Amino acid sequence: MKPLLPLVLALLAPAAALRAQAPLAHEAPAPVALAGPERPSPRVQYGLDRLAAAIRDTGAAVAEAAGARHVAVGLYSDPALRGRLAPAPAAPAAEGFVLGTAADGTLVVAGADDSGILYGCLELGRLTRDGGALPARASEDESPALKVRGPCIGLQKPTLLPGFAEYEYPINPGNFPWFYDRGFWEGYLDFLAANRMNTLFLWNGHPFASLVRVPDYPDALEVSAEQYAKNVETYRWLIREADRRGIWLVQMFYNIELSRPFAERHHLPMALHAGTPEAADYTRKTIAAFVRQYPTVGLLVCLGEALQHTPNQIAWMDEVIIPGEKDGLRAAGIAAEPPLILRTHALDARAVVPAALKLYPNLYTMEKYNGESLTTSEPRGAAQAQHRELSRLAPLHIANVHILANLEPFRYGDQRFIKECARAIRDRLGARGLHLYPLSYWDWPDTPDKTAEPLLEYQRDWIWYEAWGRYAWNPDIPDRADHAYWIGRLSQAYGPAAAENILAAYNDAGECAPRIIRRFGITEGNRQTMSLGMTLDELVHPEKYHAFPGLWEWQAPPGERLQEYVDREWNKQPHSGETPPRVIGEIVRYSERAMREIDDAGPQVSANAEEFGRLQNDIHCIRELSLSYAAKVQAAMLVLRYEHSHDVRDLETAERSLALSLDHFRTLAQLTAETYRYANGLQTRQRAIPVKGAVDGHPAYFHWTQMLPVYEQELADFRARVARARSAQ
């Protein structure tokens, strides 16, 4: 894996307001005496170590010595520490911290808890690095807006594993070599801590068969005894390393999925639509064994999907999942019930959640934010109502920014859009948690970029994570200060002269994909790869291809789809809301501005030129994709108009628009031919738009160059249709 080292070094030292007074070049920096708790927890020790490293990076020693600056670190609840700040600031909330300056010049880091101390130390370390010296004074008081903040990692792959159920992949070096790379994990966990993310979700269909032995089902393991021992060792190490960085590890699983050896022995499929006595006993005991073995790891239950029908789901949750959790806690000697997270996908939450809460009051809920794409900064209608109801019912509700199928495979850094989303999560949905998908999920940790060695996704997409982490902590940062922050960050990454244009390009380019999918898409999920375009017939007659009619209305602002717009236009009726012409006008303008801004930045870039070139190419790809969609939408509106007018001139004009759309798609194929391995992460038959993603079980039509002949044939067929209509008329 090829790290983006200069960019990562900049990333781990985010810009902030400079409060430091750097010493003159000829002066040796004063030593710093760092005083923390007498017996610091691993989490506090991690914060102290990071702060000490930041101080040493300035050339100062960390030691008690004559003339030393002093830093006092501890809990806000300690009267002796708090008393050094006059007047004492208000107590921070959980995970919050106060940075202050005592009368004698001592800098004080006072955390609400161990995590607060950790984040306070990291913040003081950032200020120290940004200013080149320990600040002369500090004055901050911060607490997080959202209680749960973190990304997910898929222990899953782009294609199905022969002989296994969907989502089910045994944990072994063949499937996930990175899982055993401790150096990789340390870098990634440091990255999450630096962005104040406190949760890490691991997704897998049935992880238990790789991580626990069940006494009554010893042969249910899907890995060898040696591999199982290695998995347990690695998993326990990961739990410890995450915890000392303030990160709660959560393991996700699907229902009902079974161990392959268990399923074969009992003559059952690996995925069940309803429970059986054998499956129920095995699942309950498996969960109990997992909780007993890893008591600090949370569980995220995807109750619906394979398991169907509300009575089955209620019974499985209340009679299998929750009892299994309680059995494990009792076996581990734990009285308090930790959070158990219920993903409300593919179930009737109003029926399932209240029943489960009666048995397990500390039940958190999770719901997709925009389905499986990023389509709008605020879910509306039924989607918003669902989130608000869950926020009312559960002790804590989590918004799941899921899959990002419409953004892949390009870079995304529209911090304005992300900030609006974070505000909506808190204020419109009432949620207090963020679950964030990577921009490239199925092939994690690699990106789709075609490079000599794979790029690491979290390094390539640092701005995606940093923006969500920043606004999950505080979505109310004033715009002027926020703008200065991002200019500072991009200055560190690419050089100060290029930063303004790069930020503008990120923000403008980021407006295109959400508009395209919400107004013209057939589905916002894995079933559609938006960046591969759509056929003309899919735009004209989406009802022929849509598995979930009306799904787009859940996510889109009020407005009109193509058929409705054309019908109203023909009948001279007024239009309302977001219309197709308005959207194509907006994506053309936004993409044009973004391309101009990124090109203007090019000559000013003074660092990370290779990565900037990839970002610049992405912006050009988004421009060509937007123009291709705009022209094809014009063609679709003319085809729909022809159904009213029967005037062949409408088809003739549509033909020219369709040809223009193909020209732009051809340019897009050229831009991606040597820069991307694929467009869509999921490469199975589940993807159906614009065409099936697999043929005879093998990935197909996953690259723009593979789609180009399809659209060339489409134009040829349409021209023949126009010729027939012209002859008939």
Side-chain angles (χ1 to χ4, degrees), residues 81-293:
L81 183 72
R82 187 174 66 252
R84 304 188 71 170
L85 301 175
E95 295 190 300
F97 62 86
V98 170
L99 297 184
T101 309
D104 63 359
T106 297
L107 294 179
V108 175
V109 180
D113 45 32
D114 284 0
S115 288
I117 294 175
L118 163 66
Y119 293 132
C121 287
L122 292 178
E123 178 64 10
L124 185 56
R126 289 168 177 171
L127 295 173
T128 299
R129 281 198 173 94
D130 291 339
L134 189 71
R137 300 185 60 81
S139 178
E140 291 189 21
D141 180 357
E142 298 191 34
S143 297
L146 301 184
K147 181 177 178 179
V148 173
R149 311 172 302 280
C152 75
I153 288 175
L155 287 160
Q156 299 174 331
K157 299 179 76 65
T159 56
L160 301 180
L161 199 62
F164 284 83
E166 191 175 28
Y167 308 131
E168 170 60 354
Y169 300 89
I171 302 173
N172 59 46
N175 286 332
F176 311 106
W178 50 266
F179 184 75
Y180 305 91
D181 186 340
R182 297 191 177 188
F184 163 78
W185 275 119
E186 288 172 344
Y188 180 64
L189 295 173
D190 285 344
F191 172 80
L192 297 186
N195 286 293
R196 299 181 185 175
M197 291 187 171
N198 66 356
T199 311
L200 175 60
F201 301 88
L202 301 180
W203 283 55
N204 185 273
H206 188 72
F208 310 112
S210 297
L211 295 171
V212 293
R213 286 186 184 275
V214 183
D216 290 353
Y217 300 97
D219 299 330
L221 277 178
E222 291 177 336
V223 296
S224 67
E226 294 77 14
Q227 187 59 57
Y228 168 72
K230 183 65 173 177
N231 287 354
V232 172
E233 176 192 355
T234 302
Y235 203 70
R236 284 178 168 159
W237 175 87
L238 177 59
I239 293 166
R240 292 193 301 272
E241 289 300 309
D243 183 73
R244 77 185 188 95
R245 291 167 174 83
I247 298 169
W248 177 40
L249 193 68
V250 176
Q251 182 65 61
M252 179 271 182
F253 65 100
Y254 288 86
N255 279 290
I256 301 173
E257 290 208 4
L258 304 173
S259 151
R260 180 179 176 180
F262 175 88
E264 290 174 346
R265 188 173 305 109
H266 291 272
H267 307 289
L268 294 170
M270 290 183 66
L272 298 178
H273 298 313
T276 69
E278 300 90 349
D281 186 66
Y282 165 73
T283 302
R284 176 172 176 171
K285 289 176 178 175
T286 296
I287 291 172
F290 182 89
V291 173
R292 182 178 65 251
Q293 189 158 316

Side-chain angles (χ1 to χ4, degrees), residues 154 156-159 166-167 169 176 254 403 408 437-438 440-444 446 526 678 680-683 686:
Q156 299 174 331
K157 299 179 76 65
T159 56
E166 191 175 28
Y167 308 131
Y169 300 89
F176 311 106
Y254 288 86
I403 288 294
E408 65 179 0
Y437 260 67
S440 181
Y441 172 78
W442 295 103
D443 204 15
W444 201 90
D446 298 339
N526 270 316
Y678 55 79
N680 55 294
L682 186 65
Q683 296 170 19
Q686 183 177 3

Side-chain angles (χ1 to χ4, degrees), residues 218-560:
D219 299 330
L221 277 178
E222 291 177 336
V223 296
S224 67
E226 294 77 14
Q227 187 59 57
Y228 168 72
K230 183 65 173 177
N231 287 354
V232 172
E233 176 192 355
T234 302
Y235 203 70
R236 284 178 168 159
W237 175 87
L238 177 59
I239 293 166
R240 292 193 301 272
E241 289 300 309
D243 183 73
R244 77 185 188 95
R245 291 167 174 83
I247 298 169
W248 177 40
L249 193 68
V250 176
Q251 182 65 61
M252 179 271 182
F253 65 100
Y254 288 86
N255 279 290
I256 301 173
E257 290 208 4
L258 304 173
S259 151
R260 180 179 176 180
F262 175 88
E264 290 174 346
R265 188 173 305 109
H266 291 272
H267 307 289
L268 294 170
M270 290 183 66
L272 298 178
H273 298 313
T276 69
E278 300 90 349
D281 186 66
Y282 165 73
T283 302
R284 176 172 176 171
K285 289 176 178 175
T286 296
I287 291 172
F290 182 89
V291 173
R292 182 178 65 251
Q293 189 158 316
Y294 311 108
T296 63
V297 177
L299 284 178
L300 167 57
V301 182
C302 181
L303 186 64
E305 193 141 320
L307 179 59
Q308 299 175 359
H309 306 302
T310 299
N312 292 337
Q313 293 167 342
I314 292 176
W316 196 257
M317 185 71 186
D318 296 355
E319 299 170 15
V320 177
I321 303 296
I322 292 176
E325 172 84 11
K326 290 186 172 184
D327 291 346
L329 292 172
R330 278 194 297 271
I334 297 173
E337 294 180 345
L340 175 64
I341 306 173
L342 172 61
R343 183 184 182 218
T344 57
H345 172 63
L347 55 79
D348 181 359
R350 291 171 297 179
V352 175
V353 172
L357 281 167
K358 293 178 182 177
L359 299 174
Y360 203 93
N362 201 18
L363 183 73
Y364 291 4
T365 55
M366 178 186 290
E367 178 69 35
K368 293 177 182 177
Y369 182 66
N370 274 172
E372 293 182 344
S373 291
L374 191 64
T375 60
T376 178
S377 59
E378 178 186 342
R380 292 166 168 82
Q384 184 179 109
Q386 172 88 330
H387 281 284
R388 294 186 67 84
E389 178 69 6
L390 291 170
S391 296
R392 184 186 65 82
L393 286 173
L396 186 141
H397 177 59
I398 302 168
N400 177 356
V401 179
H402 194 75
I403 288 294
L404 295 320
N406 68 319
L407 303 185
E408 65 179 0
F410 305 122
R411 290 151 178 80
Y412 189 93
D414 187 346
Q415 48 84 205
R416 296 178 309 199
F417 199 100
I418 294 171
K419 188 176 187 178
E420 291 173 3
C421 291
R423 284 175 175 164
I425 287 171
R426 182 195 62 185
D427 300 336
R428 303 286 188 273
L429 308 186
R432 294 177 57 215
L434 167 69
H435 173 291
L436 180 68
Y437 260 67
L439 288 176
S440 181
Y441 172 78
W442 295 103
D443 204 15
W444 201 90
D446 298 339
T447 73
D449 300 82
K450 186 184 288 186
T451 52
E453 294 182 30
L455 304 178
L456 290 176
E457 189 276 338
Y458 81 91
Q459 293 179 354
R460 186 198 85 158
D461 297 320
W462 64 271
I463 193 170
W464 168 259
Y465 292 97
E466 189 165 323
W468 282 104
R470 178 171 172 82
Y471 301 129
W473 181 272
N474 179 13
D476 299 322
I477 302 167
D479 289 342
R480 179 173 294 184
D482 205 24
H483 180 82
Y485 173 88
W486 291 112
I487 294 304
R489 290 294 294 112
L490 291 167
S491 294
Q492 292 173 332
Y494 298 108
E500 282 282 0
N501 281 321
I502 293 175
L503 180 60
Y506 262 132
N507 283 332
D508 285 335
E511 297 292 333
C512 298
R515 283 170 169 78
I516 293 171
I517 198 69
R518 75 191 186 207
R519 193 50 53 196
F520 309 121
I522 288 179
T523 169
E524 37 59 75
N526 270 316
R527 292 169 180 80
Q528 176 167 1
T529 303
M530 195 212 76
S531 65
L532 288 179
M534 294 172 64
T535 67
L536 183 62
D537 197 53
E538 288 165 348
L539 287 169
V540 172
H541 297 296
E543 70 281 356
K544 292 163 53 177
Y545 303 90
H546 206 295
F548 305 102
L551 185 60
W552 51 77
E553 282 104 357
W554 295 6
Q555 311 300 342
E560 299 169 8

Side-chain angles (χ1 to χ4, degrees), residues 493-725:
Y494 298 108
E500 282 282 0
N501 281 321
I502 293 175
L503 180 60
Y506 262 132
N507 283 332
D508 285 335
E511 297 292 333
C512 298
R515 283 170 169 78
I516 293 171
I517 198 69
R518 75 191 186 207
R519 193 50 53 196
F520 309 121
I522 288 179
T523 169
E524 37 59 75
N526 270 316
R527 292 169 180 80
Q528 176 167 1
T529 303
M530 195 212 76
S531 65
L532 288 179
M534 294 172 64
T535 67
L536 183 62
D537 197 53
E538 288 165 348
L539 287 169
V540 172
H541 297 296
E543 70 281 356
K544 292 163 53 177
Y545 303 90
H546 206 295
F548 305 102
L551 185 60
W552 51 77
E553 282 104 357
W554 295 6
Q555 311 300 342
E560 299 169 8
R561 298 280 290 184
L562 280 168
Q563 182 73 62
E564 181 183 4
Y565 175 82
V566 172
D567 290 346
R568 285 174 172 268
E569 187 75 4
W570 180 260
N571 294 314
K572 295 181 172 54
Q573 295 174 331
H575 299 287
S576 63
E578 190 177 72
T579 63
R582 171 181 155 185
V583 166
I584 62 176
E586 288 173 345
I587 64 174
V588 167
R589 288 192 298 274
Y590 274 120
S591 63
E592 180 182 18
R593 282 207 316 241
M595 186 176 68
R596 184 173 64 249
E597 289 151 353
I598 202 70
D599 289 348
D600 288 347
Q604 312 301 323
V605 169
S606 57
N608 293 300
E610 189 175 350
E611 173 60 14
F612 173 80
R614 290 188 283 261
L615 171 60
Q616 185 177 30
N617 189 71
D618 277 5
I619 302 296
H620 280 256
C621 288
I622 292 168
R623 169 64 171 168
E624 295 300 327
L625 181 66
S626 298
L627 291 173
S628 181
Y629 264 104
K632 190 168 278 191
V633 167
Q634 290 280 15
M637 288 192 291
L638 287 160
V639 171
L640 289 167
R641 175 183 166 82
Y642 175 76
E643 294 177 0
H644 290 286
S645 70
H646 305 293
D647 185 342
V648 74
R649 288 175 297 181
D650 286 335
L651 293 184
E652 290 170 342
T653 308
E655 178 188 327
R656 292 192 289 273
S657 293
L658 191 60
L660 180 60
S661 174
L662 178 60
D663 287 343
H664 289 297
F665 193 87
R666 185 175 289 112
T667 302
L668 177 60
Q670 293 168 353
L671 290 171
T672 55
E674 299 303 324
T675 57
Y676 277 100
R677 295 181 291 127
Y678 55 79
N680 55 294
L682 186 65
Q683 296 170 19
T684 70
R685 289 184 61 84
Q686 183 177 3
R687 181 176 62 81
I689 308 297
V691 294
K692 284 288 185 183
V695 176
D696 297 328
H698 300 288
Y701 299 107
F702 54 81
H703 198 279
W704 300 264
T705 54
Q706 296 172 332
M707 284 301 304
L708 184 58
V710 175
Y711 294 137
E712 289 173 336
Q713 186 62 49
E714 176 184 59
L715 178 59
D717 293 342
F718 190 77
R719 281 174 169 161
R721 174 186 174 185
V722 174
R724 289 193 301 270

